[in-house]
Amino acid sequence: MAAQEGSTVDIDTSLFITVSGPPGCGATTLCEQLADAIGCPYVSGGEVFRELAEDRDMSLNQLIAKADESDEIDRALDQRLQQIAEKWGMSNKPFILESRLAGWIAGDRADLRLWLDAPEAVRLERIDDRIETEAEMRVREVSEAGRYESYYEIDIDDREFYDLHINTARWSKRAVFTLVRAAIEEYDPEIDEGAFRTPPMDP
């Protein structure tokens, strides 16, 4: 993978890191930077969702519409991601899992759970060149939030669940990477008393 802006310093770690946030939050950029600096793989929930669409010979928007009709698609996606989390959670090797529910799916298998966000106007500008339209993004966010609460009783807006919450509109890509790198390098598993933890959810 080519070097990304901000990933000029290698990171020596064996942490399992989850990255979550709404569309346009900067999660993909950060994951690429971290994977490059750590020298580890990462899996994107968006890519797995696209694989599900291909498996069913459906467009992305068709699969999103299908997900609104029943829980089959969401649960298939979450089960695939949970299998990945189980595999890497037991490996004691560095890994990055990115999806809206990555932290919940990984549960206590994750060492560091990140939430990225930015004001809607900033996120819309960032996704301007994507296939998804502004209206589709808004509909998807509302729809997903409702499904998460209905299926799993998860409030996607609950920020207390995450170890680090960053407004990526306030920082450059390099600065976001630097903040997360510092959190990784200063991570101490012994300093965990009172931390909010949860077992992995059951899709």
Side-chain angles (χ1 to χ4, degrees):
M1 183 179 293
Q4 302 291 322
E5 178 191 355
S7 57
T8 57
V9 179
D10 291 342
I11 301 174
D12 183 11
T13 184
S14 61
L15 298 185
F16 180 176
I17 302 164
T18 66
V19 181
S20 303
C25 70
T28 299
T29 297
L30 177 62
C31 287
E32 290 176 349
Q33 291 173 322
L34 290 175
D36 184 53
I38 297 171
C40 73
Y42 85 89
V43 169
S44 162
E47 289 303 314
V48 175
F49 193 79
R50 289 177 178 82
E51 290 175 5
L52 290 175
E54 292 177 2
D55 291 346
R56 290 163 170 75
D57 195 26
M58 301 171 70
S59 71
L60 192 59
N61 286 335
Q62 286 174 328
L63 192 65
I64 291 171
K66 181 72 173 177
D68 282 331
E69 296 173 1
S70 74
D71 64 355
E72 176 200 353
I73 303 301
D74 281 320
R75 294 188 186 278
L77 170 64
D78 296 337
Q79 285 171 358
R80 286 198 189 185
L81 292 176
Q82 189 171 65
Q83 290 169 356
I84 293 167
E86 289 173 352
K87 171 187 173 182
W88 287 96
M90 295 185 297
S91 71
N92 198 33
K93 295 179 181 179
F95 181 68
I96 302 164
L97 181 64
E98 181 272 316
S99 84
R100 291 286 294 281
L101 292 182
W104 293 94
I105 288 171
D108 285 350
R109 299 186 188 97
D111 298 299
L112 186 64
R113 296 185 288 213
L114 311 176
W115 178 269
L116 306 184
D117 206 347
E120 185 180 78
V122 174
R123 296 191 292 107
L124 288 172
E125 183 177 350
R126 289 174 177 172
I127 69 166
D128 187 54
D129 61 345
R130 299 186 189 178
I131 296 175
E132 189 174 37
T133 67
E134 174 181 337
E136 288 169 343
M137 186 196 82
R138 287 177 171 149
V139 169
R140 178 159 68 97
E141 286 188 66
V142 172
S143 175
E144 287 178 347
R147 298 201 305 267
Y148 299 152
E149 186 166 4
S150 173
Y151 300 160
Y152 308 126
E153 298 184 348
I154 289 175
D155 179 3
I156 197 66
D157 293 322
D158 181 3
R159 302 292 184 264
E160 292 183 2
F161 176 71
Y162 298 92
D163 301 302
L164 187 62
H165 175 203
I166 301 175
N167 177 359
T168 59
R170 297 290 300 273
W171 312 93
S172 67
K173 295 176 183 179
R174 181 181 181 87
V176 171
F177 169 81
T178 300
L179 288 169
V180 175
R181 185 183 71 203
I184 294 170
E185 293 176 339
E186 294 297 325
Y187 176 84
D188 184 347
E190 300 301 320
I191 306 177
D192 198 28
E193 186 175 355
F196 179 66
R197 295 294 176 185
T198 183
M201 68 184 206
D202 185 17

mmCIF file of all heavy atoms in Angstrom, residues 125-156:
data_model
loop_
_atom_site.group_PDB
_atom_site.id
_atom_site.type_symbol
_atom_site.label_atom_id
_atom_site.label_comp_id
_atom_site.label_asym_id
_atom_site.label_seq_id
_atom_site.Cartn_x
_atom_site.Cartn_y
_atom_site.Cartn_z
ATOM 1 N N GLU A 125 -19.212 17.603 1.693
ATOM 2 C CA GLU A 125 -18.183 18.064 0.761
ATOM 3 C C GLU A 125 -17.171 16.962 0.475
ATOM 4 O O GLU A 125 -16.703 16.800 -0.654
ATOM 5 C CB GLU A 125 -17.468 19.283 1.348
ATOM 6 C CG GLU A 125 -16.426 19.898 0.420
ATOM 7 C CD GLU A 125 -15.792 21.143 0.997
ATOM 8 O OE1 GLU A 125 -16.275 21.643 2.028
ATOM 9 O OE2 GLU A 125 -14.794 21.619 0.414
ATOM 10 N N ARG A 126 -16.865 16.185 1.480
ATOM 11 C CA ARG A 126 -15.885 15.115 1.322
ATOM 12 C C ARG A 126 -16.388 13.981 0.434
ATOM 13 O O ARG A 126 -15.587 13.306 -0.218
ATOM 14 C CB ARG A 126 -15.505 14.552 2.694
ATOM 15 C CG ARG A 126 -14.662 15.488 3.546
ATOM 16 C CD ARG A 126 -14.471 14.905 4.931
ATOM 17 N NE ARG A 126 -13.603 15.731 5.758
ATOM 18 C CZ ARG A 126 -13.401 15.528 7.056
ATOM 19 N NH1 ARG A 126 -14.015 14.508 7.660
ATOM 20 N NH2 ARG A 126 -12.605 16.331 7.739
ATOM 21 N N ILE A 127 -17.699 13.746 0.441
ATOM 22 C CA ILE A 127 -18.239 12.629 -0.360
ATOM 23 C C ILE A 127 -18.785 13.117 -1.694
ATOM 24 O O ILE A 127 -19.465 12.374 -2.390
ATOM 25 C CB ILE A 127 -19.342 11.864 0.397
ATOM 26 C CG1 ILE A 127 -20.601 12.735 0.546
ATOM 27 C CG2 ILE A 127 -18.847 11.379 1.754
ATOM 28 C CD1 ILE A 127 -21.819 11.955 0.972
ATOM 29 N N ASP A 128 -18.458 14.338 -2.059
ATOM 30 C CA ASP A 128 -19.013 14.947 -3.273
ATOM 31 C C ASP A 128 -18.713 14.139 -4.527
ATOM 32 O O ASP A 128 -19.492 14.129 -5.471
ATOM 33 C CB ASP A 128 -18.480 16.374 -3.426
ATOM 34 C CG ASP A 128 -19.147 17.118 -4.570
ATOM 35 O OD1 ASP A 128 -20.383 17.166 -4.579
ATOM 36 O OD2 ASP A 128 -18.422 17.626 -5.452
ATOM 37 N N ASP A 129 -17.563 13.441 -4.539
ATOM 38 C CA ASP A 129 -17.183 12.691 -5.736
ATOM 39 C C ASP A 129 -17.566 11.215 -5.659
ATOM 40 O O ASP A 129 -17.167 10.413 -6.491
ATOM 41 C CB ASP A 129 -15.679 12.828 -5.987
ATOM 42 C CG ASP A 129 -14.846 12.263 -4.837
ATOM 43 O OD1 ASP A 129 -15.416 12.042 -3.742
ATOM 44 O OD2 ASP A 129 -13.633 12.063 -5.027
ATOM 45 N N ARG A 130 -18.352 10.842 -4.659
ATOM 46 C CA ARG A 130 -18.762 9.451 -4.527
ATOM 47 C C ARG A 130 -20.060 9.200 -5.289
ATOM 48 O O ARG A 130 -20.773 10.120 -5.671
ATOM 49 C CB ARG A 130 -18.950 9.079 -3.047
ATOM 50 C CG ARG A 130 -17.674 9.235 -2.221
ATOM 51 C CD ARG A 130 -17.882 8.733 -0.820
ATOM 52 N NE ARG A 130 -16.748 9.061 0.039
ATOM 53 C CZ ARG A 130 -16.687 8.769 1.334
ATOM 54 N NH1 ARG A 130 -17.696 8.135 1.916
ATOM 55 N NH2 ARG A 130 -15.630 9.112 2.044
ATOM 56 N N ILE A 131 -20.372 7.921 -5.459
ATOM 57 C CA ILE A 131 -21.584 7.537 -6.165
ATOM 58 C C ILE A 131 -22.813 7.947 -5.375
ATOM 59 O O ILE A 131 -23.819 8.386 -5.925
ATOM 60 C CB ILE A 131 -21.602 6.010 -6.416
ATOM 61 C CG1 ILE A 131 -20.444 5.610 -7.340
ATOM 62 C CG2 ILE A 131 -22.931 5.575 -6.996
ATOM 63 C CD1 ILE A 131 -20.317 4.118 -7.543
ATOM 64 N N GLU A 132 -22.736 7.841 -4.055
ATOM 65 C CA GLU A 132 -23.874 8.150 -3.200
ATOM 66 C C GLU A 132 -24.166 9.643 -3.213
ATOM 67 O O GLU A 132 -23.273 10.465 -3.068
ATOM 68 C CB GLU A 132 -23.568 7.693 -1.772
ATOM 69 C CG GLU A 132 -24.756 7.767 -0.840
ATOM 70 C CD GLU A 132 -24.443 7.173 0.523
ATOM 71 O OE1 GLU A 132 -23.309 7.344 0.994
ATOM 72 O OE2 GLU A 132 -25.331 6.538 1.095
ATOM 73 N N THR A 133 -25.416 10.012 -3.369
ATOM 74 C CA THR A 133 -25.809 11.414 -3.379
ATOM 75 C C THR A 133 -26.010 11.917 -1.949
ATOM 76 O O THR A 133 -26.088 11.133 -0.995
ATOM 77 C CB THR A 133 -27.111 11.623 -4.156
ATOM 78 O OG1 THR A 133 -28.184 10.983 -3.445
ATOM 79 C CG2 THR A 133 -27.007 11.055 -5.560
ATOM 80 N N GLU A 134 -26.139 13.246 -1.825
ATOM 81 C CA GLU A 134 -26.370 13.852 -0.515
ATOM 82 C C GLU A 134 -27.640 13.307 0.124
ATOM 83 O O GLU A 134 -27.653 12.933 1.304
ATOM 84 C CB GLU A 134 -26.458 15.369 -0.671
ATOM 85 C CG GLU A 134 -26.834 16.109 0.596
ATOM 86 C CD GLU A 134 -26.935 17.609 0.368
ATOM 87 O OE1 GLU A 134 -26.324 18.111 -0.601
ATOM 88 O OE2 GLU A 134 -27.620 18.271 1.160
ATOM 89 N N ALA A 135 -28.719 13.245 -0.658
ATOM 90 C CA ALA A 135 -29.989 12.758 -0.127
ATOM 91 C C ALA A 135 -29.872 11.293 0.301
ATOM 92 O O ALA A 135 -30.394 10.899 1.352
ATOM 93 C CB ALA A 135 -31.092 12.910 -1.167
ATOM 94 N N GLU A 136 -29.185 10.496 -0.519
ATOM 95 C CA GLU A 136 -29.023 9.077 -0.192
ATOM 96 C C GLU A 136 -28.221 8.896 1.078
ATOM 97 O O GLU A 136 -28.502 8.010 1.887
ATOM 98 C CB GLU A 136 -28.357 8.352 -1.364
ATOM 99 C CG GLU A 136 -29.259 8.179 -2.574
ATOM 100 C CD GLU A 136 -28.513 7.707 -3.807
ATOM 101 O OE1 GLU A 136 -27.254 7.819 -3.834
ATOM 102 O OE2 GLU A 136 -29.175 7.237 -4.739
ATOM 103 N N MET A 137 -27.202 9.733 1.278
ATOM 104 C CA MET A 137 -26.393 9.641 2.487
ATOM 105 C C MET A 137 -27.240 9.918 3.722
ATOM 106 O O MET A 137 -27.169 9.194 4.719
ATOM 107 C CB MET A 137 -25.230 10.622 2.438
ATOM 108 C CG MET A 137 -24.264 10.467 3.611
ATOM 109 S SD MET A 137 -23.150 11.865 3.858
ATOM 110 C CE MET A 137 -24.229 12.992 4.773
ATOM 111 N N ARG A 138 -28.060 10.963 3.645
ATOM 112 C CA ARG A 138 -28.899 11.323 4.788
ATOM 113 C C ARG A 138 -29.915 10.225 5.090
ATOM 114 O O ARG A 138 -30.144 9.868 6.245
ATOM 115 C CB ARG A 138 -29.598 12.653 4.513
ATOM 116 C CG ARG A 138 -28.658 13.854 4.588
ATOM 117 C CD ARG A 138 -29.362 15.131 4.244
ATOM 118 N NE ARG A 138 -28.531 16.300 4.512
ATOM 119 C CZ ARG A 138 -28.590 17.429 3.830
ATOM 120 N NH1 ARG A 138 -29.454 17.550 2.833
ATOM 121 N NH2 ARG A 138 -27.818 18.453 4.150
ATOM 122 N N VAL A 139 -30.527 9.700 4.047
ATOM 123 C CA VAL A 139 -31.503 8.624 4.229
ATOM 124 C C VAL A 139 -30.831 7.404 4.842
ATOM 125 O O VAL A 139 -31.367 6.766 5.761
ATOM 126 C CB VAL A 139 -32.174 8.251 2.891
ATOM 127 C CG1 VAL A 139 -32.979 6.963 3.027
ATOM 128 C CG2 VAL A 139 -33.076 9.383 2.412
ATOM 129 N N ARG A 140 -29.646 7.078 4.348
ATOM 130 C CA ARG A 140 -28.937 5.897 4.856
ATOM 131 C C ARG A 140 -28.583 6.053 6.331
ATOM 132 O O ARG A 140 -28.722 5.107 7.114
ATOM 133 C CB ARG A 140 -27.664 5.656 4.031
ATOM 134 C CG ARG A 140 -26.839 4.467 4.543
ATOM 135 C CD ARG A 140 -25.937 3.947 3.460
ATOM 136 N NE ARG A 140 -24.891 4.879 3.103
ATOM 137 C CZ ARG A 140 -23.636 4.813 3.595
ATOM 138 N NH1 ARG A 140 -23.322 3.879 4.479
ATOM 139 N NH2 ARG A 140 -22.717 5.659 3.201
ATOM 140 N N GLU A 141 -28.122 7.226 6.724
ATOM 141 C CA GLU A 141 -27.752 7.439 8.122
ATOM 142 C C GLU A 141 -28.943 7.248 9.048
ATOM 143 O O GLU A 141 -28.842 6.580 10.079
ATOM 144 C CB GLU A 141 -27.165 8.837 8.311
ATOM 145 C CG GLU A 141 -25.765 8.999 7.765
ATOM 146 C CD GLU A 141 -25.158 10.343 8.143
ATOM 147 O OE1 GLU A 141 -24.919 10.570 9.341
ATOM 148 O OE2 GLU A 141 -24.933 11.171 7.241
ATOM 149 N N VAL A 142 -30.081 7.844 8.688
ATOM 150 C CA VAL A 142 -31.282 7.725 9.513
ATOM 151 C C VAL A 142 -31.758 6.278 9.542
ATOM 152 O O VAL A 142 -32.125 5.734 10.600
ATOM 153 C CB VAL A 142 -32.393 8.654 8.994
ATOM 154 C CG1 VAL A 142 -33.694 8.391 9.739
ATOM 155 C CG2 VAL A 142 -31.978 10.110 9.140
ATOM 156 N N SER A 143 -31.752 5.638 8.372
ATOM 157 C CA SER A 143 -32.215 4.256 8.272
ATOM 158 C C SER A 143 -31.344 3.319 9.099
ATOM 159 O O SER A 143 -31.847 2.474 9.845
ATOM 160 C CB SER A 143 -32.211 3.813 6.804
ATOM 161 O OG SER A 143 -32.538 2.449 6.695
ATOM 162 N N GLU A 144 -30.024 3.470 8.987
ATOM 163 C CA GLU A 144 -29.116 2.601 9.718
ATOM 164 C C GLU A 144 -29.272 2.778 11.220
ATOM 165 O O GLU A 144 -29.294 1.795 11.969
ATOM 166 C CB GLU A 144 -27.671 2.878 9.301
ATOM 167 C CG GLU A 144 -27.321 2.356 7.916
ATOM 168 C CD GLU A 144 -25.901 2.683 7.515
ATOM 169 O OE1 GLU A 144 -25.267 3.530 8.201
ATOM 170 O OE2 GLU A 144 -25.417 2.113 6.528
ATOM 171 N N ALA A 145 -29.377 4.025 11.666
ATOM 172 C CA ALA A 145 -29.520 4.285 13.094
ATOM 173 C C ALA A 145 -30.767 3.604 13.640
ATOM 174 O O ALA A 145 -30.746 3.008 14.734
ATOM 175 C CB ALA A 145 -29.576 5.787 13.353
ATOM 176 N N GLY A 146 -31.869 3.663 12.882
ATOM 177 C CA GLY A 146 -33.103 3.022 13.309
ATOM 178 C C GLY A 146 -32.979 1.513 13.365
ATOM 179 O O GLY A 146 -33.470 0.866 14.296
ATOM 180 N N ARG A 147 -32.282 0.943 12.384
ATOM 181 C CA ARG A 147 -32.117 -0.512 12.357
ATOM 182 C C ARG A 147 -31.223 -0.990 13.492
ATOM 183 O O ARG A 147 -31.495 -2.024 14.113
ATOM 184 C CB ARG A 147 -31.554 -0.948 11.000
ATOM 185 C CG ARG A 147 -32.459 -0.611 9.826
ATOM 186 C CD ARG A 147 -32.154 -1.472 8.616
ATOM 187 N NE ARG A 147 -30.777 -1.429 8.185
ATOM 188 C CZ ARG A 147 -30.297 -0.609 7.258
ATOM 189 N NH1 ARG A 147 -31.094 0.300 6.694
ATOM 190 N NH2 ARG A 147 -29.030 -0.669 6.882
ATOM 191 N N TYR A 148 -30.154 -0.248 13.774
ATOM 192 C CA TYR A 148 -29.252 -0.648 14.862
ATOM 193 C C TYR A 148 -30.003 -0.695 16.194
ATOM 194 O O TYR A 148 -29.819 -1.616 16.992
ATOM 195 C CB TYR A 148 -28.080 0.329 14.985
ATOM 196 C CG TYR A 148 -27.203 0.421 13.755
ATOM 197 C CD1 TYR A 148 -26.498 1.596 13.472
ATOM 198 C CD2 TYR A 148 -27.068 -0.649 12.880
ATOM 199 C CE1 TYR A 148 -25.697 1.692 12.346
ATOM 200 C CE2 TYR A 148 -26.274 -0.564 11.751
ATOM 201 C CZ TYR A 148 -25.586 0.621 11.490
ATOM 202 O OH TYR A 148 -24.793 0.723 10.377
ATOM 203 N N GLU A 149 -30.855 0.295 16.402
ATOM 204 C CA GLU A 149 -31.605 0.324 17.656
ATOM 205 C C GLU A 149 -32.653 -0.775 17.689
ATOM 206 O O GLU A 149 -32.877 -1.420 18.720
ATOM 207 C CB GLU A 149 -32.266 1.691 17.838
ATOM 208 C CG GLU A 149 -32.949 1.844 19.190
ATOM 209 C CD GLU A 149 -33.304 3.274 19.504
ATOM 210 O OE1 GLU A 149 -33.085 4.154 18.648
ATOM 211 O OE2 GLU A 149 -33.810 3.515 20.615
ATOM 212 N N SER A 150 -33.289 -1.023 16.548
ATOM 213 C CA SER A 150 -34.324 -2.047 16.476
ATOM 214 C C SER A 150 -33.742 -3.448 16.635
ATOM 215 O O SER A 150 -34.283 -4.275 17.377
ATOM 216 C CB SER A 150 -35.062 -1.935 15.141
ATOM 217 O OG SER A 150 -35.968 -3.003 14.968
ATOM 218 N N TYR A 151 -32.644 -3.732 15.945
ATOM 219 C CA TYR A 151 -32.076 -5.074 15.952
ATOM 220 C C TYR A 151 -31.274 -5.367 17.216
ATOM 221 O O TYR A 151 -31.365 -6.454 17.782
ATOM 222 C CB TYR A 151 -31.143 -5.277 14.756
ATOM 223 C CG TYR A 151 -31.790 -5.116 13.405
ATOM 224 C CD1 TYR A 151 -31.013 -4.868 12.282
ATOM 225 C CD2 TYR A 151 -33.167 -5.207 13.228
ATOM 226 C CE1 TYR A 151 -31.583 -4.712 11.030
ATOM 227 C CE2 TYR A 151 -33.748 -5.053 11.984
ATOM 228 C CZ TYR A 151 -32.952 -4.797 10.886
ATOM 229 O OH TYR A 151 -33.515 -4.638 9.651
ATOM 230 N N TYR A 152 -30.463 -4.392 17.642
ATOM 231 C CA TYR A 152 -29.485 -4.646 18.690
ATOM 232 C C TYR A 152 -29.634 -3.761 19.924
ATOM 233 O O TYR A 152 -28.851 -3.880 20.863
ATOM 234 C CB TYR A 152 -28.072 -4.453 18.140
ATOM 235 C CG TYR A 152 -27.784 -5.215 16.874
ATOM 236 C CD1 TYR A 152 -27.299 -4.568 15.740
ATOM 237 C CD2 TYR A 152 -27.986 -6.596 16.801
ATOM 238 C CE1 TYR A 152 -27.022 -5.256 14.568
ATOM 239 C CE2 TYR A 152 -27.720 -7.294 15.634
ATOM 240 C CZ TYR A 152 -27.235 -6.621 14.522
ATOM 241 O OH TYR A 152 -26.965 -7.305 13.363
ATOM 242 N N GLU A 153 -30.612 -2.846 19.914
ATOM 243 C CA GLU A 153 -30.777 -1.877 20.994
ATOM 244 C C GLU A 153 -29.500 -1.050 21.188
ATOM 245 O O GLU A 153 -29.088 -0.757 22.315
ATOM 246 C CB GLU A 153 -31.175 -2.572 22.295
ATOM 247 C CG GLU A 153 -32.512 -3.288 22.201
ATOM 248 C CD GLU A 153 -32.940 -3.900 23.514
ATOM 249 O OE1 GLU A 153 -32.105 -3.959 24.442
ATOM 250 O OE2 GLU A 153 -34.089 -4.332 23.617
ATOM 251 N N ILE A 154 -28.888 -0.679 20.068
ATOM 252 C CA ILE A 154 -27.674 0.119 20.083
ATOM 253 C C ILE A 154 -28.013 1.549 19.687
ATOM 254 O O ILE A 154 -28.638 1.782 18.653
ATOM 255 C CB ILE A 154 -26.627 -0.451 19.103
ATOM 256 C CG1 ILE A 154 -26.069 -1.767 19.640
ATOM 257 C CG2 ILE A 154 -25.500 0.547 18.860
ATOM 258 C CD1 ILE A 154 -25.122 -2.458 18.679
ATOM 259 N N ASP A 155 -27.592 2.487 20.514
ATOM 260 C CA ASP A 155 -27.723 3.903 20.192
ATOM 261 C C ASP A 155 -26.419 4.341 19.534
ATOM 262 O O ASP A 155 -25.406 4.511 20.207
ATOM 263 C CB ASP A 155 -27.989 4.716 21.457
ATOM 264 C CG ASP A 155 -28.108 6.211 21.176
ATOM 265 O OD1 ASP A 155 -28.043 6.606 19.992
ATOM 266 O OD2 ASP A 155 -28.258 6.978 22.148
ATOM 267 N N ILE A 156 -26.447 4.496 18.212
ATOM 268 C CA ILE A 156 -25.220 4.799 17.481
ATOM 269 C C ILE A 156 -24.648 6.152 17.875
ATOM 270 O O ILE A 156 -23.477 6.448 17.637
ATOM 271 C CB ILE A 156 -25.481 4.745 15.951
ATOM 272 C CG1 ILE A 156 -24.166 4.639 15.169
ATOM 273 C CG2 ILE A 156 -26.294 5.945 15.508
ATOM 274 C CD1 ILE A 156 -23.432 3.354 15.389
#
